Amino acid sequence: MAFKDGGETLINLPSNETDLLSEEKNAKRLAEILRLPFVDLKELSIQTELLSTIPSELLSRYSFIPVSDDGERITIVTADPTNVKMLDDIEAYVKKPLNVLVGLKSQIQDVLKKTEADQKVLDEVSEDLKLQIVREDTEEGEEVVSLEKLSSDTSPIVKLVDFTVYNALQKRASDIHIETGDIEVQIKYRVDGVLYPALEPIDKRFHSTIISRIKVMAELDIAEKRIPQDGRFKLKIRGKTVDFRVSIIPTIHGEDCVIRILDKESTSEEFKNLNLDVLGFEKEVMKKLRRHANEPYGMLLVTGPTGSGKTTTLYAILSEIQSPEFKMITIEDPVEYQLRGVTQIPVNEKKGLTFARGLRSILRHDPDKIMVGEIRDEETANIAIQSALTGHLVFTTVHANNVVDVLGRFLNMKVEPYNFVSALNCVMAQRLVRKICPACKIPVSYSDEVLLESNIPPEMAKGKELYEGKGCIECNGTGFRGRMAISEVLELSDRIRELIISRKPSSEIKKAAREEGMVTLRESAVKTFLKGATTLKEINKVTFSDEAMK
């Protein structure tokens, strides 16, 4: 579209044929011609309460943002203020005159994705939504679920489930929880390790229909409601495939369901080039990990509870050391990220492919580096240790609370202590803490009493810039966005090896490790807090506050 003044073309808006000006230059020039203010949405405070008063269908159809309401007029930001029908429709709905500002279309769409517009779609399940789950056969013979246009006769329950899954991806959720109470059903998302409601509670009478819909998607038995069931399905969105794992258990009020989202092609821009720097480790920790990741043989062990980022850390290490010179094979349950140049094997216990059996087969393929997703039993532990002793570098994880507890776990698996300590190069325990949202962080101060309650000497916090997040659109009002790792690393010195072989108490091993310079999880967490990256409440949630500080 061209705007003319006395026959002279003043501006050409971008088109498929020609794009003479950047989006920002066009928007500013258009604002100048129409004598309207231009705004940068990144610098504008947006009222989420005002957004929630506008129907999501109207927001998405016309791509505009209401930014303020002074009682007499509503101010909106749009990329196309020449659309008279849009302005008339908005005025007809809000029943107030409009103040119009010009903004960038890309910024407007980005804000709409981050606001409650998607959330409201869940509440408006009776509307004609635009997505549907369609089944199709792939070349491998598996079923993939694709998002397509909804047919007019699709039921509200199908729409609800489909959009719950779709919206979870938009919100960066790792899990969807469907919890059944005595009179209602609650759907929640886990984002950055914390659960929050996805929408208002649903009437209990819709519970069985929702669970049945999920069972159909995961090819589970809809008639069986007395025993746990596990399944999986795939979803194709914008050309990328996402795996979903479904677990259903019977409770006193009915069946509960958890859907784990396994996004192989992570939506986070940072993770497109996965490495240790992305995960937020301290420089000294990364230096130790990189040194042990380049050892000729031995075992590097990462430990922590479920969801602490153990596997992601191993992927980051493999990404850094990956080379055409090495044969690298992994066996995992499931394969969460796909790494180029690495042979990755998914465990399939139904077909008899366990960690132990897969690991035996891997050794016949002449690997240089091996990653075992998790050591769960004595047989896998012994094979992994033997692999590390016979010239292979083995990366693996095990569930334990800290680096010293790992040693006890292995010894209780009846592995030979001498072989174990000979194979082990390094043990790292880690946790994930939420990072303060950079868009809404504000300075805070803590009293000496509060710091002492958390066993932090007040003098450590003097002169430090500490922050908390007040909540905004970027972080869904939580005050946090993203997570980073805290860790403790135990390097196996001769002294530590002798203590383990002698089966000395864990307290003695930990004391020796600290004398050799090991930084504990609590100390790592406090450092992160004092750097202003996370909050006091967050570090107290993931580490013990009664641990002594050096």
Side-chain angles (χ1 to χ4, degrees):
M1 179 188 296
F3 289 92
K4 296 189 177 182
D5 184 9
E8 179 188 357
T9 300
L10 298 178
I11 185 169
N12 281 302
L13 292 180
S15 66
N16 292 331
E17 293 77 22
T18 176
D19 186 9
L20 300 176
L21 300 171
S22 69
E23 183 187 9
E24 185 173 353
K25 285 181 181 177
N26 267 315
K28 286 181 177 178
R29 187 77 176 106
L30 178 59
E32 183 182 340
I33 292 166
L34 299 176
R35 294 183 174 84
L36 295 172
F38 172 82
V39 292
D40 185 346
L41 281 176
K42 291 180 180 177
E43 299 173 0
L44 203 63
S45 178
I46 299 168
Q47 301 175 11
T48 53
E49 299 84 3
L50 184 58
L51 272 167
S52 64
T53 64
I54 309 291
S56 57
E57 187 273 334
L58 196 64
L59 287 171
S60 59
R61 186 200 307 167
Y62 289 128
S63 193
F64 72 96
I65 302 290
V67 291
S68 66
D69 182 357
D70 61 8
E72 295 182 1
R73 303 174 78 90
I74 285 186
T75 301
I76 68 165
V77 179
T78 177
D80 185 13
T82 63
N83 189 337
V84 178
K85 184 179 185 308
M86 171 190 74
L87 300 178
D88 288 344
D89 285 355
I90 297 171
E91 277 193 348
Y93 180 80
V94 300
K95 297 180 175 60
K96 290 180 184 178
L98 299 179
N99 281 332
V100 181
L101 309 178
V102 181
L104 300 183
K105 185 176 181 180
S106 57
Q107 287 186 350
I108 292 170
Q109 291 175 342
D110 190 43
V111 170
L112 286 174
K113 287 179 184 176
K114 294 171 182 172
T115 63
E116 299 303 307
D118 286 333
Q119 180 70 44
K120 289 172 67 179
V121 168
L122 289 174
D123 300 328
E124 298 166 5
V125 292
S126 60
E127 298 294 326
D128 183 20
L129 308 181
K130 300 178 181 176
L131 299 171
Q132 178 188 25
I133 290 186
V134 178
R135 298 191 179 274
E136 57 189 31
D137 291 328
T138 64
E139 292 178 1
E140 292 83 9
E142 296 179 356
E143 261 189 343
V144 175
V145 184
S146 301
L147 285 170
E148 299 290 346
K149 289 184 179 180
L150 274 177
S151 58
S152 58
D153 58 350
T154 305
S155 76
I157 292 297
V158 171
K159 293 177 184 179
L160 172 65
V161 174
D162 293 355
F163 254 104
T164 299
V165 172
Y166 178 74
N167 201 39
L169 289 166
Q170 299 288 91
K171 301 285 188 184
R172 303 179 298 110
S174 60
D175 303 85
I176 303 167
H177 290 243
I178 300 171
E179 300 174 352
T180 313
D182 52 349
I183 60 171
E184 64 186 24
V185 178
Q186 182 73 269
I187 299 179
K188 299 178 181 177
Y189 294 150
R190 186 179 293 280
V191 180
D192 293 334
V194 176
L195 283 173
Y196 74 92
L199 64 160
E200 291 298 314
I202 299 168
D203 195 299
K204 177 72 176 286
R205 61 198 170 98
F206 299 113
H207 165 256
S208 61
T209 319
I210 293 170
I211 297 296
S212 294
R213 170 62 180 163
I214 295 169
K215 285 182 177 179
V216 168
M217 292 164 64
E219 297 184 320
L220 300 177
D221 185 355
I222 62 173
E224 181 56 74
K225 300 183 179 183
R226 295 163 297 177
I227 61 172
Q229 294 190 69
D230 295 297
R232 64 193 305 162
F233 61 91
K234 288 186 179 182
L235 190 69
K236 205 166 189 178
I237 299 179
R238 300 190 187 104
K240 76 171 184 177
T241 301
V242 182
D243 276 334
F244 295 84
R245 295 201 137 203
V246 178
S247 179
I248 294 175
I249 57 171
T251 71
I252 57 171
H253 296 300
E255 291 176 296
D256 275 17
C257 175
V258 174
I259 303 173
R260 166 66 61 89
I261 301 171
L262 303 170
D263 193 349
K264 294 178 183 176
E265 304 165 33
S266 177
T267 53
S268 170
E269 291 292 326
E270 290 179 322
F271 281 77
K272 287 186 176 177
N273 296 306
L274 185 60
N275 55 52
L276 291 172
D277 297 288
V278 168
L279 304 182
F281 287 113
E282 294 177 21
K283 288 184 178 179
E284 189 60 34
V285 171
M286 289 192 288
K287 184 178 175 183
K288 290 178 181 178
L289 288 177
R290 284 172 175 142
R291 183 172 71 248
H292 290 293
N294 286 286
E295 299 279 4
Y297 56 85
M299 181 184 288
L300 192 157
L301 193 57
V302 182
T303 184
T306 301
S308 60
K310 304 185 295 295
T311 306
T312 304
T313 297
L314 290 185
Y315 276 124
I317 293 171
L318 291 178
S319 295
E320 291 197 352
I321 66 172
Q322 196 276 325
S323 165
E325 298 176 0
F326 300 131
K327 173 83 167 182
M328 301 172 68
I329 306 180
T330 75
I331 179 161
E332 309 165 57
D333 184 21
V335 174
E336 293 182 29
Y337 298 94
Q338 293 180 348
L339 300 175
R340 289 194 176 190
V342 179
T343 303
Q344 295 175 273
I345 303 168
V347 164
N348 190 337
E349 294 190 359
K350 289 182 180 178
K351 301 292 184 182
L353 178 54
T354 60
F355 276 112
R357 187 171 179 182
L359 189 49
R360 282 200 191 92
S361 298
I362 286 172
L363 295 174
R364 301 189 195 107
H365 280 247
D366 187 29
D368 298 292
K369 322 282 185 186
I370 302 169
M371 181 183 123
V372 183
E374 183 185 343
I375 290 181
R376 300 173 179 171
D377 53 61
E378 179 185 334
E379 186 180 9
T380 309
N382 279 309
I383 300 170
I385 289 168
Q386 289 302 318
S387 303
L389 289 172
T390 53
H392 304 93
L393 186 59
V394 179
F395 303 93
T396 189
T397 73
V398 69
H399 285 287
N401 290 324
N402 54 56
V403 292
V404 178
D405 286 351
V406 172
L407 309 175
R409 280 291 304 274
F410 269 86
L411 296 177
N412 287 334
M413 287 182 189
K414 300 178 183 176
V415 300
E416 176 58 45
Y418 182 80
N419 287 344
F420 174 53
V421 297
S422 299
L424 196 59
N425 294 339
C426 169
V427 186
M428 183 182 78
Q430 75 174 60
R431 299 287 189 279
L432 294 177
V433 294
R434 291 184 292 170
K435 294 189 290 186
I436 298 170
C437 175
C440 65
K441 70 177 184 179
I442 54 173
V444 293
S445 59
Y446 296 92
S447 66
D448 291 354
E449 291 77 13
V450 171
L451 293 170
L452 287 170
E453 283 176 8
S454 298
N455 208 23
I456 299 174
E459 57 270 18
M460 290 182 71
K462 284 183 179 176
K464 304 289 185 182
E465 294 182 353
L466 306 177
Y467 300 94
E468 287 183 359
K470 63 179 181 179
C472 65
I473 288 175
E474 295 286 336
C475 59
N476 290 319
T478 63
F480 297 94
R481 184 169 176 83
R483 291 187 289 177
M484 63 187 296
I486 58 170
S487 59
E488 64 182 20
V489 179
L490 174 65
E491 297 182 283
L492 273 289
S493 64
D494 290 340
R495 179 186 175 191
I496 299 293
R497 284 189 167 97
E498 287 170 6
L499 291 173
I500 296 170
I501 292 171
S502 304
R503 294 185 179 268
K504 295 294 184 182
S506 59
S507 57
E508 194 172 330
I509 297 172
K510 184 175 181 179
K511 181 182 177 184
R514 295 192 70 182
E515 287 172 359
E516 293 182 1
M518 183 184 83
V519 176
T520 67
L521 276 169
R522 178 62 180 178
E523 289 164 349
S524 176
V526 170
K527 281 184 182 180
T528 304
F529 161 63
L530 295 177
K531 285 192 297 187
T534 190
T535 66
L536 182 62
K537 183 178 179 181
E538 184 69 8
I539 66 166
N540 287 341
K541 189 177 75 174
V542 297
T543 60
F544 290 105
S545 59
D546 58 355
E547 184 177 317
M549 299 288 295
K550 281 201 290 188

